[in-house]
Amino acid sequence: MKALDKKAATPLIWLLLLTMPYWMNAVGGYTELATRVVVLGLAAMALNFLLGFTGVLSFGHAAYFGLGAYGAAMTIKFLTPSTPLAIVVGVVVGAVAAAAIGGLIKSLRGTYFAMVTIAFGQVFYFITFRWNSVTGGDDGLTGWQRQPLHLGALTVDILHNDKAFYYLVLALFALAVGLMALLLRSPLGRTLVAIRENERRARFLGIPVETHIWLSFVISGAFCALAGSLYALLSNFTDPRSLHWTLSGNFVIMAVLGGMRSFWGPLVGAAVFVVLQDYLSSHTENWMSFIGIFFVLVVLFFPRGVLGILRRRTAA
């Protein structure tokens, strides 16, 4: 019954994602909220590639999210008005930064690793905060917007059509999670899980642990940069808060809330987090307190997250 539930979960999730702009409006939401769920879900799944499947905690992944956002925004504003090129540049910038930082910290573990990721993330945050002439400083980078897609004779208006942009985001999300699933099923993914379960035994078997952790860090950072690029294009704006460590904490909350060691759990956690944030923030300034209480209750009583709760009820 549990195996059947797991097999049934994937097509159900895709069905919900494909139709979300329509039923989201029917339940009081809006298309931009649906896009935000997909984008932040990708960011949480990217972090979970490192946290849930490799067993390494990073509190600095907002750095690659934000670098992706600034890479995309600055490409359109300063280089050329091309949405595809902006996304590519954003991903490359975030991946290169992750490769450089991952190479420096790959031998650290536990609290030391987590704290150093925060430190590097805050370095990028303060650079964007202080470099007013280029990044716009605390006011953010404005004066640019995503551009329509020109596919030969066909032009797709993602500038004014929110649904068109949603499906562009969903297509890139599908490519990203498909690649992520492929990697996790490959020998690399099996090795990462082995490191998570018992690093000492993996090292004894001759596995280059530091190299694999570095690879996981770079892959995770690249996917997070893709999410950041799409997030900047969603709002046609980005600011230093997209690199702040508190956003990294939100990614961790999303992953744990949905189910840290499951593939789709972080997406479910992101959906819960984003929808609750949107609803509660319109009613109270203390919305984070309610999400914090909900998070604590889930961690205490349902350690496998919201997806674990759903699977348990389905199996019953």
Coordinates of all heavy atoms in Angstrom, one line a residue, residues 9-99:
A9 N 1.8 9.4 -5.9 CA 2.0 10.8 -5.5 C 2.6 11.6 -6.6 O 2.2 12.8 -6.8 CB 3.0 10.8 -4.3
T10 N 3.5 11.1 -7.4 CA 4.1 11.8 -8.5 C 3.1 12.3 -9.5 O 3.1 13.5 -9.8 CB 5.3 11.0 -9.1 OG1 6.3 10.7 -8.1 CG2 5.9 11.8 -10.3
P11 N 2.3 11.4 -10.1 CA 1.4 12.0 -11.1 C 0.3 12.9 -10.5 O -0.1 13.9 -11.2 CB 0.7 10.7 -11.7 CG 1.0 9.6 -10.7 CD 2.3 10.0 -10.1
L12 N 0.0 12.7 -9.2 CA -1.0 13.6 -8.6 C -0.3 15.0 -8.4 O -1.0 16.0 -8.7 CB -1.4 13.1 -7.2 CG -2.3 13.9 -6.4 CD1 -3.6 14.2 -7.1 CD2 -2.6 13.3 -5.0
I13 N 0.9 15.0 -8.0 CA 1.6 16.3 -7.9 C 1.7 17.1 -9.2 O 1.5 18.3 -9.3 CB 3.0 16.1 -7.2 CG1 2.9 15.8 -5.8 CG2 3.9 17.3 -7.4 CD1 4.1 15.3 -5.1
W14 N 2.0 16.3 -10.3 CA 2.1 17.0 -11.6 C 0.8 17.5 -12.1 O 0.7 18.5 -12.7 CB 2.8 16.0 -12.6 CG 4.2 15.9 -12.4 CD1 5.0 14.8 -12.1 CD2 5.2 17.0 -12.6 NE1 6.3 15.1 -12.1 CE2 6.5 16.4 -12.4 CE3 5.1 18.3 -13.0 CZ2 7.7 17.1 -12.5 CZ3 6.3 19.1 -13.0 CH2 7.5 18.5 -12.8
L15 N -0.3 16.7 -11.8 CA -1.6 17.2 -12.1 C -2.0 18.5 -11.4 O -2.5 19.4 -12.0 CB -2.6 16.1 -11.8 CG -4.1 16.4 -12.1 CD1 -4.3 16.7 -13.6 CD2 -5.0 15.3 -11.6
L16 N -1.7 18.5 -10.1 CA -1.9 19.7 -9.4 C -1.1 20.9 -9.9 O -1.6 22.0 -10.0 CB -1.6 19.5 -7.9 CG -2.6 18.5 -7.2 CD1 -2.0 18.3 -5.8 CD2 -4.0 19.1 -7.1
L17 N 0.2 20.7 -10.2 CA 1.0 21.7 -10.7 C 0.5 22.3 -12.1 O 0.5 23.5 -12.4 CB 2.5 21.3 -10.8 CG 3.2 21.0 -9.5 CD1 4.6 20.4 -9.8 CD2 3.4 22.3 -8.8
L18 N 0.1 21.3 -13.0 CA -0.3 21.7 -14.3 C -1.6 22.5 -14.3 O -1.8 23.4 -15.2 CB -0.5 20.5 -15.2 CG 0.8 19.8 -15.7 CD1 0.5 18.4 -16.3 CD2 1.5 20.7 -16.7
T19 N -2.4 22.3 -13.3 CA -3.7 23.0 -13.3 C -3.8 24.1 -12.2 O -4.8 24.7 -12.0 CB -4.8 22.0 -13.0 OG1 -4.6 21.3 -11.7 CG2 -5.0 20.9 -14.1
M20 N -2.7 24.3 -11.5 CA -2.7 25.2 -10.4 C -3.1 26.7 -10.7 O -3.9 27.2 -9.9 CB -1.3 25.3 -9.7 CG -1.3 26.0 -8.4 SD -0.1 25.5 -7.2 CE 1.5 25.7 -8.1
P21 N -2.8 27.3 -11.8 CA -3.3 28.6 -12.1 C -4.8 28.7 -12.1 O -5.4 29.8 -11.9 CB -2.7 29.0 -13.5 CG -1.5 28.1 -13.6 CD -1.9 26.8 -12.9
Y22 N -5.5 27.6 -12.4 CA -6.9 27.6 -12.5 C -7.6 27.3 -11.1 O -8.5 28.1 -10.7 CB -7.4 26.6 -13.5 CG -6.8 26.9 -14.9 CD1 -5.6 26.2 -15.3 CD2 -7.4 27.8 -15.7 CE1 -5.1 26.5 -16.6 CE2 -6.8 28.1 -17.0 CZ -5.7 27.5 -17.4 OH -5.1 27.8 -18.6
W23 N -7.1 26.3 -10.5 CA -7.8 26.0 -9.2 C -7.3 26.9 -8.1 O -8.0 27.1 -7.1 CB -7.7 24.5 -8.8 CG -6.3 24.0 -8.6 CD1 -5.6 23.2 -9.5 CD2 -5.4 24.1 -7.4 NE1 -4.3 22.9 -8.9 CE2 -4.2 23.4 -7.7 CE3 -5.6 24.7 -6.2 CZ2 -3.2 23.3 -6.8 CZ3 -4.5 24.7 -5.3 CH2 -3.4 24.0 -5.6
M24 N -6.1 27.5 -8.2 CA -5.6 28.5 -7.2 C -6.5 29.7 -7.2 O -6.8 30.2 -6.2 CB -4.2 28.9 -7.6 CG -3.6 29.8 -6.6 SD -3.2 29.2 -4.9 CE -1.6 28.4 -5.2
N25 N -6.9 30.1 -8.4 CA -7.8 31.3 -8.5 C -9.2 30.9 -7.9 O -9.8 31.7 -7.2 CB -8.0 31.7 -9.9 CG -6.7 32.3 -10.5 OD1 -5.9 32.9 -9.8 ND2 -6.6 32.2 -11.8
A26 N -9.6 29.7 -8.1 CA -10.9 29.2 -7.6 C -11.0 29.2 -6.1 O -12.0 29.3 -5.5 CB -11.3 27.9 -8.2
V27 N -9.8 29.0 -5.4 CA -9.8 28.9 -3.9 C -9.4 30.2 -3.3 O -9.0 30.2 -2.1 CB -8.9 27.7 -3.5 CG1 -9.4 26.4 -3.9 CG2 -7.5 27.9 -3.9
G28 N -9.3 31.2 -4.1 CA -9.0 32.5 -3.5 C -7.6 33.0 -3.7 O -7.2 34.0 -3.1
G29 N -6.8 32.2 -4.4 CA -5.4 32.6 -4.6 C -5.3 33.3 -6.0 O -6.2 33.9 -6.5
Y30 N -4.1 33.4 -6.5 CA -3.8 34.1 -7.8 C -2.6 33.5 -8.4 O -1.8 32.7 -7.8 CB -3.6 35.6 -7.5 CG -2.7 35.9 -6.4 CD1 -1.3 36.2 -6.6 CD2 -3.1 36.0 -5.1 CE1 -0.5 36.5 -5.6 CE2 -2.3 36.3 -4.0 CZ -1.0 36.6 -4.3 OH -0.1 36.9 -3.3
T31 N -2.4 33.7 -9.7 CA -1.4 33.1 -10.5 C 0.0 33.4 -10.0 O 0.8 32.5 -10.0 CB -1.6 33.5 -12.0 OG1 -2.9 33.2 -12.4 CG2 -0.6 32.7 -12.9
E32 N 0.2 34.6 -9.6 CA 1.6 34.9 -9.1 C 1.9 34.1 -7.9 O 3.1 33.7 -7.7 CB 1.7 36.4 -8.8 CG 3.1 36.9 -8.4 CD 3.2 38.3 -8.0 OE1 2.2 39.1 -8.4 OE2 4.1 38.7 -7.4
L33 N 0.9 33.8 -7.0 CA 1.2 33.0 -5.8 C 1.5 31.6 -6.2 O 2.4 31.0 -5.6 CB -0.1 33.0 -4.9 CG 0.0 32.2 -3.6 CD1 1.1 32.8 -2.7 CD2 -1.3 32.2 -2.9
A34 N 0.9 31.1 -7.3 CA 1.2 29.7 -7.8 C 2.6 29.7 -8.3 O 3.3 28.7 -8.0 CB 0.2 29.4 -8.9
T35 N 3.0 30.7 -9.0 CA 4.4 30.8 -9.5 C 5.4 30.8 -8.4 O 6.4 30.2 -8.4 CB 4.6 32.0 -10.4 OG1 3.5 32.0 -11.4 CG2 5.9 32.0 -11.1
R36 N 5.1 31.6 -7.3 CA 6.0 31.7 -6.2 C 6.1 30.3 -5.5 O 7.2 29.9 -5.0 CB 5.4 32.7 -5.2 CG 6.5 33.3 -4.3 CD 5.9 34.3 -3.3 NE 4.9 35.1 -3.8 CZ 4.0 35.7 -3.0 NH1 3.9 35.5 -1.8 NH2 3.1 36.5 -3.6
V37 N 5.0 29.5 -5.4 CA 5.1 28.2 -4.8 C 6.1 27.3 -5.6 O 6.9 26.6 -5.0 CB 3.7 27.6 -4.8 CG1 3.8 26.1 -4.5 CG2 2.8 28.3 -3.8
V38 N 6.0 27.4 -6.9 CA 6.9 26.5 -7.7 C 8.3 27.0 -7.6 O 9.2 26.1 -7.5 CB 6.4 26.6 -9.2 CG1 7.4 25.8 -10.1 CG2 5.0 26.0 -9.4
V39 N 8.6 28.3 -7.6 CA 9.9 28.8 -7.6 C 10.6 28.5 -6.2 O 11.7 27.9 -6.2 CB 9.9 30.3 -7.9 CG1 11.3 30.8 -7.6 CG2 9.6 30.6 -9.3
L40 N 9.9 28.8 -5.1 CA 10.4 28.5 -3.8 C 10.5 27.0 -3.5 O 11.3 26.5 -2.8 CB 9.6 29.3 -2.8 CG 9.8 30.8 -2.8 CD1 8.9 31.5 -1.8 CD2 11.2 31.2 -2.7
G41 N 9.5 26.3 -4.1 CA 9.6 24.8 -4.0 C 10.9 24.3 -4.6 O 11.5 23.4 -4.1
L42 N 11.3 24.8 -5.8 CA 12.5 24.4 -6.4 C 13.7 24.7 -5.5 O 14.6 23.9 -5.4 CB 12.6 25.1 -7.8 CG 14.0 24.8 -8.5 CD1 14.2 23.4 -8.8 CD2 14.0 25.6 -9.9
A43 N 13.7 25.9 -4.9 CA 14.8 26.3 -4.0 C 14.9 25.4 -2.8 O 16.0 24.9 -2.4 CB 14.6 27.7 -3.6
A44 N 13.7 25.0 -2.3 CA 13.7 24.1 -1.1 C 14.2 22.7 -1.5 O 14.9 22.0 -0.8 CB 12.3 24.0 -0.5
M45 N 13.8 22.2 -2.7 CA 14.3 20.9 -3.2 C 15.8 21.0 -3.5 O 16.4 20.0 -3.3 CB 13.5 20.5 -4.5 CG 12.0 20.2 -4.2 SD 11.1 19.9 -5.7 CE 11.6 18.2 -6.0
A46 N 16.3 22.1 -4.0 CA 17.7 22.2 -4.2 C 18.5 22.1 -2.9 O 19.5 21.4 -2.8 CB 18.0 23.6 -4.9
L47 N 18.0 22.8 -1.9 CA 18.6 22.7 -0.6 C 18.6 21.2 -0.1 O 19.5 20.7 0.5 CB 18.0 23.6 0.4 CG 18.5 23.5 1.9 CD1 19.9 23.9 2.0 CD2 17.6 24.3 2.8
N48 N 17.4 20.6 -0.3 CA 17.2 19.2 0.2 C 18.2 18.2 -0.5 O 18.5 17.2 0.1 CB 15.8 18.8 0.0 CG 15.4 17.6 0.8 OD1 15.6 17.5 2.0 ND2 14.9 16.6 0.1
F49 N 18.6 18.5 -1.7 CA 19.6 17.7 -2.4 C 20.8 17.6 -1.5 O 21.4 16.5 -1.4 CB 19.9 18.3 -3.7 CG 20.7 17.4 -4.6 CD1 20.1 16.5 -5.5 CD2 22.1 17.4 -4.6 CE1 20.9 15.7 -6.3 CE2 22.9 16.6 -5.4 CZ 22.3 15.7 -6.3
L50 N 21.2 18.7 -0.9 CA 22.4 18.7 0.0 C 22.0 18.2 1.4 O 22.7 17.4 2.0 CB 22.9 20.1 0.1 CG 24.2 20.3 0.9 CD1 25.4 19.6 0.3 CD2 24.5 21.8 1.1
L51 N 20.9 18.7 1.9 CA 20.6 18.4 3.3 C 19.9 17.0 3.5 O 20.4 16.2 4.3 CB 19.6 19.5 3.8 CG 19.0 19.3 5.2 CD1 20.0 19.2 6.3 CD2 18.0 20.4 5.5
G52 N 18.9 16.7 2.7 CA 18.2 15.5 2.9 C 18.9 14.3 2.3 O 18.8 13.2 2.9
F53 N 19.6 14.4 1.2 CA 20.2 13.3 0.5 C 21.7 13.2 0.7 O 22.3 12.1 0.5 CB 19.9 13.3 -0.9 CG 18.4 13.1 -1.2 CD1 17.6 14.2 -1.5 CD2 17.8 11.9 -1.2 CE1 16.2 14.1 -1.8 CE2 16.5 11.7 -1.4 CZ 15.7 12.8 -1.7
T54 N 22.4 14.2 1.2 CA 23.8 14.2 1.5 C 24.1 14.3 3.0 O 25.1 13.9 3.5 CB 24.5 15.3 0.7 OG1 24.1 15.3 -0.6 CG2 26.0 15.0 0.8
G55 N 23.1 14.8 3.7 CA 23.2 14.9 5.2 C 24.1 16.1 5.6 O 24.6 16.1 6.7
V56 N 24.2 17.2 4.8 CA 25.0 18.3 5.1 C 24.1 19.5 5.2 O 23.4 19.8 4.2 CB 26.1 18.5 4.1 CG1 26.9 19.8 4.4 CG2 27.0 17.3 4.0
L57 N 24.1 20.3 6.3 CA 23.2 21.4 6.5 C 23.9 22.7 6.1 O 25.0 23.0 6.5 CB 22.8 21.5 8.0 CG 22.0 22.8 8.4 CD1 20.7 22.8 7.6 CD2 21.8 22.8 9.9
S58 N 23.3 23.5 5.2 CA 23.7 24.8 4.8 C 22.7 25.8 5.2 O 21.5 25.7 4.9 CB 24.0 24.8 3.3 OG 24.2 26.1 2.8
F59 N 23.2 26.9 5.9 CA 22.4 28.0 6.2 C 22.7 29.2 5.3 O 22.4 30.4 5.7 CB 22.5 28.4 7.7 CG 21.5 27.7 8.6 CD1 22.0 26.9 9.5 CD2 20.2 27.9 8.4 CE1 21.1 26.2 10.4 CE2 19.2 27.2 9.2 CZ 19.7 26.4 10.2
G60 N 23.4 28.9 4.2 CA 23.8 30.0 3.3 C 23.4 29.9 1.9 O 23.9 30.6 1.0
H61 N 22.3 29.1 1.6 CA 21.9 28.9 0.2 C 21.2 30.1 -0.4 O 21.0 30.1 -1.6 CB 21.1 27.6 0.1 CG 21.8 26.4 -0.4 ND1 23.0 26.1 0.1 CD2 21.6 25.5 -1.4 CE1 23.5 25.0 -0.5 NE2 22.6 24.7 -1.4
A62 N 20.8 31.0 0.5 CA 20.2 32.2 -0.1 C 21.2 33.0 -0.9 O 20.8 33.7 -1.8 CB 19.6 33.1 1.1
A63 N 22.5 32.8 -0.6 CA 23.5 33.4 -1.4 C 23.4 33.1 -2.9 O 23.5 33.9 -3.7 CB 24.9 33.0 -0.8
Y64 N 23.3 31.8 -3.2 CA 23.2 31.4 -4.6 C 21.8 31.7 -5.2 O 21.8 32.0 -6.4 CB 23.5 29.9 -4.6 CG 24.7 29.5 -3.7 CD1 24.5 28.7 -2.6 CD2 25.9 30.1 -3.9 CE1 25.5 28.5 -1.7 CE2 27.0 29.9 -3.1 CZ 26.8 29.1 -1.9 OH 27.8 28.9 -1.1
F65 N 20.8 31.7 -4.4 CA 19.5 32.1 -4.8 C 19.6 33.6 -5.2 O 19.1 34.0 -6.3 CB 18.5 31.9 -3.6 CG 17.1 32.3 -4.0 CD1 16.2 31.3 -4.5 CD2 16.6 33.6 -3.7 CE1 14.9 31.7 -4.8 CE2 15.3 33.9 -4.0 CZ 14.4 32.9 -4.5
G66 N 20.2 34.4 -4.3 CA 20.3 35.8 -4.6 C 21.2 36.2 -5.7 O 21.0 37.1 -6.5
L67 N 22.3 35.4 -5.8 CA 23.3 35.7 -6.9 C 22.6 35.3 -8.3 O 22.8 36.0 -9.3 CB 24.5 34.8 -6.7 CG 25.5 35.3 -5.7 CD1 26.6 34.3 -5.4 CD2 26.1 36.7 -6.0
G68 N 21.8 34.3 -8.3 CA 21.0 33.9 -9.5 C 20.1 35.1 -9.8 O 19.9 35.4 -11.0
A69 N 19.4 35.6 -8.8 CA 18.5 36.7 -9.0 C 19.2 37.9 -9.6 O 18.8 38.6 -10.6 CB 17.8 37.1 -7.7
Y70 N 20.3 38.3 -9.0 CA 21.1 39.5 -9.5 C 21.7 39.2 -10.8 O 21.8 40.1 -11.7 CB 22.1 39.9 -8.4 CG 21.6 40.9 -7.4 CD1 21.2 40.4 -6.2 CD2 21.6 42.2 -7.7 CE1 20.8 41.3 -5.2 CE2 21.1 43.1 -6.7 CZ 20.7 42.7 -5.5 OH 20.2 43.5 -4.6
G71 N 22.2 38.0 -11.0 CA 22.7 37.7 -12.4 C 21.7 37.8 -13.5 O 22.0 38.4 -14.5
A72 N 20.5 37.4 -13.2 CA 19.4 37.5 -14.2 C 19.0 39.0 -14.4 O 18.9 39.5 -15.6 CB 18.2 36.7 -13.8
A73 N 18.9 39.7 -13.3 CA 18.4 41.1 -13.4 C 19.5 42.0 -14.1 O 19.2 42.8 -14.9 CB 18.2 41.6 -12.0
M74 N 20.7 41.8 -13.7 CA 21.8 42.6 -14.3 C 22.1 42.3 -15.7 O 22.5 43.2 -16.5 CB 23.1 42.5 -13.4 CG 22.9 43.0 -12.0 SD 24.3 42.7 -10.9 CE 25.5 43.8 -11.6
T75 N 21.8 41.1 -16.1 CA 21.9 40.7 -17.5 C 21.0 41.5 -18.4 O 21.3 42.1 -19.4 CB 21.7 39.2 -17.7 OG1 22.7 38.5 -17.0 CG2 21.8 38.8 -19.2
I76 N 19.7 41.5 -17.9 CA 18.7 42.3 -18.7 C 18.9 43.8 -18.7 O 18.8 44.5 -19.7 CB 17.3 41.9 -18.2 CG1 16.9 40.5 -18.4 CG2 16.2 42.9 -18.8 CD1 15.6 40.0 -17.9
K77 N 19.4 44.3 -17.5 CA 19.5 45.7 -17.4 C 20.8 46.3 -18.1 O 20.8 47.3 -18.7 CB 19.5 46.1 -15.9 CG 19.6 47.6 -15.7 CD 19.4 48.1 -14.3 CE 19.4 49.6 -14.2 NZ 19.1 50.0 -12.8
F78 N 21.9 45.5 -17.9 CA 23.2 46.0 -18.4 C 23.7 45.4 -19.6 O 24.5 46.0 -20.3 CB 24.2 45.9 -17.3 CG 23.9 46.7 -16.0 CD1 23.7 46.0 -14.8 CD2 23.7 48.1 -16.0 CE1 23.4 46.7 -13.6 CE2 23.4 48.8 -14.9 CZ 23.3 48.1 -13.7
L79 N 23.3 44.2 -20.0 CA 23.9 43.5 -21.1 C 22.9 43.5 -22.3 O 23.1 44.1 -23.3 CB 24.2 42.0 -20.7 CG 25.4 41.9 -19.7 CD1 25.6 40.4 -19.4 CD2 26.6 42.6 -20.2
T80 N 21.8 42.7 -22.2 CA 20.9 42.6 -23.3 C 19.5 42.1 -22.8 O 19.5 41.3 -21.8 CB 21.4 41.5 -24.3 OG1 20.5 41.4 -25.4 CG2 21.6 40.2 -23.7
P81 N 18.5 42.6 -23.4 CA 17.1 42.3 -22.9 C 16.7 40.9 -23.4 O 15.9 40.8 -24.3 CB 16.2 43.4 -23.5 CG 17.0 43.8 -24.7 CD 18.4 43.7 -24.4
S82 N 17.2 39.9 -22.8 CA 17.0 38.5 -23.2 C 16.6 37.7 -21.9 O 17.5 37.5 -21.1 CB 18.1 37.9 -23.9 OG 18.0 36.5 -24.1
T83 N 15.4 37.2 -21.8 CA 15.0 36.4 -20.7 C 15.8 35.0 -20.6 O 16.3 34.7 -19.6 CB 13.5 36.1 -20.7 OG1 12.8 37.3 -20.6 CG2 13.1 35.1 -19.6
P84 N 15.9 34.3 -21.7 CA 16.7 33.0 -21.7 C 18.2 33.2 -21.2 O 18.7 32.5 -20.4 CB 16.6 32.5 -23.1 CG 15.4 33.0 -23.6 CD 15.3 34.4 -23.1
L85 N 18.8 34.3 -21.8 CA 20.2 34.6 -21.4 C 20.3 35.0 -20.0 O 21.2 34.6 -19.3 CB 20.8 35.7 -22.3 CG 22.2 36.0 -22.0 CD1 23.1 34.8 -22.3 CD2 22.7 37.2 -22.9
A86 N 19.3 35.7 -19.5 CA 19.3 36.1 -18.1 C 19.3 34.9 -17.1 O 20.0 34.9 -16.1 CB 18.1 37.0 -17.8
I87 N 18.4 33.9 -17.5 CA 18.3 32.7 -16.7 C 19.7 31.9 -16.7 O 20.2 31.5 -15.7 CB 17.2 31.8 -17.2 CG1 15.8 32.5 -17.0 CG2 17.2 30.5 -16.5 CD1 14.7 31.9 -17.6
V88 N 20.3 31.8 -17.9 CA 21.5 31.1 -18.0 C 22.6 31.8 -17.2 O 23.4 31.1 -16.4 CB 21.9 31.0 -19.5 CG1 23.4 30.4 -19.6 CG2 21.0 30.1 -20.3
V89 N 22.7 33.1 -17.3 CA 23.8 33.8 -16.6 C 23.5 33.7 -15.1 O 24.5 33.5 -14.3 CB 23.8 35.3 -17.0 CG1 24.7 36.1 -16.0 CG2 24.2 35.5 -18.4
G90 N 22.3 33.8 -14.6 CA 22.0 33.6 -13.2 C 22.4 32.3 -12.7 O 23.0 32.2 -11.6
V91 N 22.1 31.2 -13.4 CA 22.5 29.9 -13.0 C 24.0 29.7 -13.0 O 24.6 29.2 -12.0 CB 21.9 28.8 -13.9 CG1 22.5 27.4 -13.6 CG2 20.4 28.8 -13.8
V92 N 24.7 30.3 -14.0 CA 26.2 30.1 -14.0 C 26.8 30.9 -12.9 O 27.8 30.4 -12.2 CB 26.7 30.7 -15.4 CG1 28.2 30.8 -15.4 CG2 26.3 29.7 -16.5
V93 N 26.3 32.1 -12.6 CA 26.9 32.9 -11.5 C 26.8 32.2 -10.2 O 27.7 32.1 -9.4 CB 26.2 34.3 -11.4 CG1 26.6 35.0 -10.2 CG2 26.6 35.1 -12.6
G94 N 25.6 31.6 -9.9 CA 25.3 30.9 -8.7 C 26.1 29.7 -8.6 O 26.7 29.3 -7.5
A95 N 26.3 28.9 -9.7 CA 27.0 27.7 -9.7 C 28.5 27.9 -9.5 O 29.2 27.2 -8.7 CB 26.8 26.9 -11.0
V96 N 29.0 29.0 -10.1 CA 30.5 29.3 -9.9 C 30.8 29.7 -8.5 O 31.8 29.2 -7.9 CB 30.9 30.4 -10.9 CG1 32.3 30.9 -10.6 CG2 30.8 29.9 -12.3
A97 N 29.9 30.5 -7.9 CA 30.1 30.9 -6.5 C 30.0 29.6 -5.6 O 30.8 29.5 -4.7 CB 29.0 31.9 -6.1
A98 N 29.0 28.7 -5.8 CA 28.9 27.5 -5.0 C 30.2 26.6 -5.2 O 30.6 26.0 -4.2 CB 27.7 26.7 -5.4
A99 N 30.7 26.6 -6.4 CA 31.9 25.8 -6.6 C 33.1 26.3 -5.9 O 33.9 25.6 -5.3 CB 32.2 25.7 -8.1

